Amino acid sequence: MLVSEQEKEKIYSPGLEGIPAARTKLSQVDGKGGRLIIAGYPVEEFAGKAVFEETIFTLWNDKRPKPTETSLFSEELRSSRRFSKVIRTIIEEAVYANLPLIDILRIGSAALSLGSQKEDPKKDAMAVLSTFPLIVAWAFRLLKGQAPVLPRQDLDIAANFLYMLNGNDPDPRSVRALNTYLNTVCDHGLNASTFAARVIISTQSDMISAVTGGLGALKGPLHGGAPGPALDTVFEIGAKENAEKVLREKLKHNERLMGFGHRIYKVRDPRADVLAKAAKILYDTDEKREFYDLAMFVEKTALELLKEYKPDRVLQTNVEFYTALLLHGLGFPTEIFTPVFAMGRAAGWTAHCFEQMQERILRPDAIYTGEDGKLWN
């Protein structure tokens, strides 16, 4: 359908906000109601119960797996790992170049084309989900000057990642917390990285290219880079008696309080409550509980001050705040936050790619604002 420039101006929306570009069964983001539905399930219904493999299966197949299907699917994922010496060498070269971990993951993602069977996108998707955690853990230990740890065939995604990261058998509570996190962030509507992946796959490109493009979008600070700063504020405050003074100073200077407010959610982010419950069990010692209590006090103080300074806006705790708290409770430093986010969101990227492969190429219009009739001479 041909549309005039005048008609385009009437429907133009910066950032395509509010303009549907896809039909999906994968997730619904209800900003007004504060609800997130993943493949038909409210996020709070399954995130704290399922293992990540079950969530991937559900996104890909639009149904919850039976126990036998979970077992077979988990085994298929483990056998799909692409972690040859060549790929490890590529990762190591990126480490020696002192690149950020998210860039190393992007390079490692592209390297998964080695051994790719482009005629079978499902195998590439399985390689992505099973190998991303290996790349992150391997590179992280090298960046820290530690000997990397080879993956185990008897461990599922979350447990194996913790094993490779720390070099010892993972604590079941930590495995449960990481599974909950990966489930919670697996998909979230047509966000920037998911849209990027769908655009690429819509051209009949391959799964590895689409996922790598998604990673490129995710590394931007407006999308995947916010959880670290949310925790930095708690560290900066340091003690409960400093909370109000530090936060007031930030608000007086019109600084954004990271971890509060969301572009879509006009009430509390439903993912925040899921991760709050998962995080709490990780802070079981006196030392850890002291930090947890401080974070809770900072949250309470921030919400009170936001009502005072910005009474016309609804600014609630979002997923970034409790992401930071949970990942810190797992012992993760902030530089690993975004790569771990990518490990979870890759489930959504691949599922959206499978959907988009049944649709036409994504090719929105643009409004021309330049001149006309210029002469070259």
Side-chain angles (χ1 to χ4, degrees), residues 51-58 60-61 65 69-83 121-134 151-153 155-158 160 179 343 346-347 350 354:
V51 296
F52 188 43
E53 286 80 357
E54 290 177 291
T55 300
I56 300 167
F57 184 99
T58 302
W60 287 6
N61 297 282
E69 289 176 314
T70 299
S71 179
L72 289 171
F73 186 67
S74 297
E75 179 57 38
E76 191 175 0
L77 279 167
R78 286 192 291 271
S79 66
S80 299
R81 293 168 178 168
R82 289 182 193 156
F83 209 53
K122 183 181 176 183
K123 287 189 176 179
D124 277 350
M126 297 191 96
V128 165
L129 269 298
S130 60
T131 312
F132 268 22
L134 278 57
R152 278 169 49 177
Q153 278 297 116
L155 296 177
D156 290 341
I157 289 173
N160 184 70
N179 270 305
M343 286 163 40
T350 51
F354 289 138

Side-chain angles (χ1 to χ4, degrees), residues 9-28:
E9 284 284 5
K10 291 179 182 179
I11 60 175
Y12 170 61
S13 175
L16 300 179
E17 184 171 3
I19 298 179
R23 294 178 181 271
T24 182
K25 293 182 177 181
L26 298 173
S27 64
Q28 180 189 32

Side-chain angles (χ1 to χ4, degrees), residues 27 40 61 66 76 78-79 116 146 151 168 186 229 258-259:
S27 64
N61 297 282
K66 299 174 182 177
E76 191 175 0
R78 286 192 291 271
S79 66
S116 171
Q146 300 172 329
N168 48 45
C186 69
M258 303 302 289

Side-chain angles (χ1 to χ4, degrees), residues 8 23-24 36 44-45 57 74 106 108 130 135 137 143 174 177 185 188 275 317 320 328 331 359 373 376:
K8 288 180 185 178
R23 294 178 181 271
T24 182
L36 172 61
E44 64 272 16
E45 170 62 27
F57 184 99
S74 297
R106 176 176 50 81
S130 60
I135 295 170
L143 284 167
S174 296
V185 302
H188 197 250
L275 296 183
T317 313
E320 296 162 3
H328 179 70
E359 303 291 339
W376 192 258

Side-chain angles (χ1 to χ4, degrees), residues 76-377:
E76 191 175 0
L77 279 167
R78 286 192 291 271
S79 66
S80 299
R81 293 168 178 168
R82 289 182 193 156
F83 209 53
S84 66
K85 185 176 180 180
V86 173
I87 289 178
R88 295 199 300 269
T89 300
I90 291 171
I91 296 165
E92 289 161 8
E93 288 298 321
V95 169
Y96 299 147
N98 203 31
L99 294 178
L101 192 54
I102 189 64
D103 283 319
I104 297 173
L105 178 57
R106 176 176 50 81
I107 292 167
S109 174
L112 295 180
S113 291
L114 297 170
S116 171
Q117 300 179 32
K118 291 182 175 57
E119 69 280 2
D120 191 344
K122 183 181 176 183
K123 287 189 176 179
D124 277 350
M126 297 191 96
V128 165
L129 269 298
S130 60
T131 312
F132 268 22
L134 278 57
I135 295 170
V136 174
W138 193 270
F140 178 78
R141 286 185 67 90
L142 286 173
L143 284 167
K144 296 300 179 184
Q146 300 172 329
V149 177
L150 285 167
R152 278 169 49 177
Q153 278 297 116
D154 62 318
L155 296 177
D156 290 341
I157 289 173
N160 184 70
F161 177 70
L162 291 170
Y163 167 73
M164 289 184 66
L165 202 66
N166 301 316
N168 48 45
D169 288 336
D171 170 30
R173 291 178 304 173
S174 296
V175 175
R176 178 62 264 163
L178 183 55
N179 270 305
T180 299
Y181 173 71
L182 296 173
N183 292 338
T184 301
V185 302
C186 69
D187 196 43
H188 197 250
L190 209 58
N191 55 83
S193 58
T194 297
F195 186 59
R198 288 191 78 133
V199 168
I200 294 168
I201 206 73
S202 79
T203 68
Q204 296 187 2
S205 185
D206 61 282
M207 183 68 72
I208 301 299
S209 294
V211 169
T212 305
L215 265 174
L218 185 74
K219 69 171 284 191
L222 295 183
H223 186 13
L231 194 64
D232 290 342
T233 301
V234 180
F235 284 124
E236 180 184 350
I237 289 170
K240 291 180 181 180
E241 57 268 23
N242 301 330
E244 182 173 348
K245 179 182 177 181
V246 172
L247 293 173
R248 277 194 186 278
E249 196 66 25
K250 289 180 180 294
L251 289 169
K252 284 178 182 177
H253 289 85
N254 211 27
E255 290 185 38
R256 181 187 170 194
L257 299 187
M258 303 302 289
F260 299 91
H262 195 278
R263 178 180 176 182
I264 296 175
Y265 292 111
K266 304 309 177 187
V267 292
R268 188 173 173 89
D269 188 331
R271 298 169 297 175
D273 289 331
V274 174
L275 296 183
K277 293 177 183 177
K280 189 173 183 179
I281 64 173
L282 297 174
Y283 291 84
D284 57 344
T285 65
D286 289 342
E287 183 180 353
K288 288 183 177 180
R289 194 173 297 110
E290 184 178 350
F291 182 82
Y292 180 85
D293 290 343
L294 171 62
M296 295 301 95
F297 187 81
V298 169
E299 179 191 23
K300 178 176 178 292
T301 305
L303 291 174
E304 291 172 352
L305 292 177
L306 284 167
K307 286 182 182 179
E308 177 184 335
Y309 280 83
K310 301 179 186 293
D312 56 329
R313 298 181 61 189
V314 180
L315 296 170
Q316 294 289 330
T317 313
N318 63 32
V319 69
E320 296 162 3
F321 186 86
Y322 279 105
T323 287
L325 193 61
L326 185 145
L327 297 184
H328 179 70
L330 286 169
F332 296 176
T334 55
E335 63 262 33
I336 207 173
F337 285 7
T338 302
V340 175
F341 182 15
M343 286 163 40
R345 185 54 57 86
W349 292 337
T350 51
H352 276 272
C353 285
F354 289 138
E355 274 195 342
Q356 188 61 45
M357 288 166 67
Q358 309 305 315
E359 303 291 339
R360 61 188 296 181
I361 187 172
L362 282 165
R363 204 290 188 190
D365 281 338
I367 300 169
Y368 179 67
T369 60
E371 299 180 35
D372 185 12
K374 288 182 178 181
L375 298 178
W376 192 258
N377 55 356

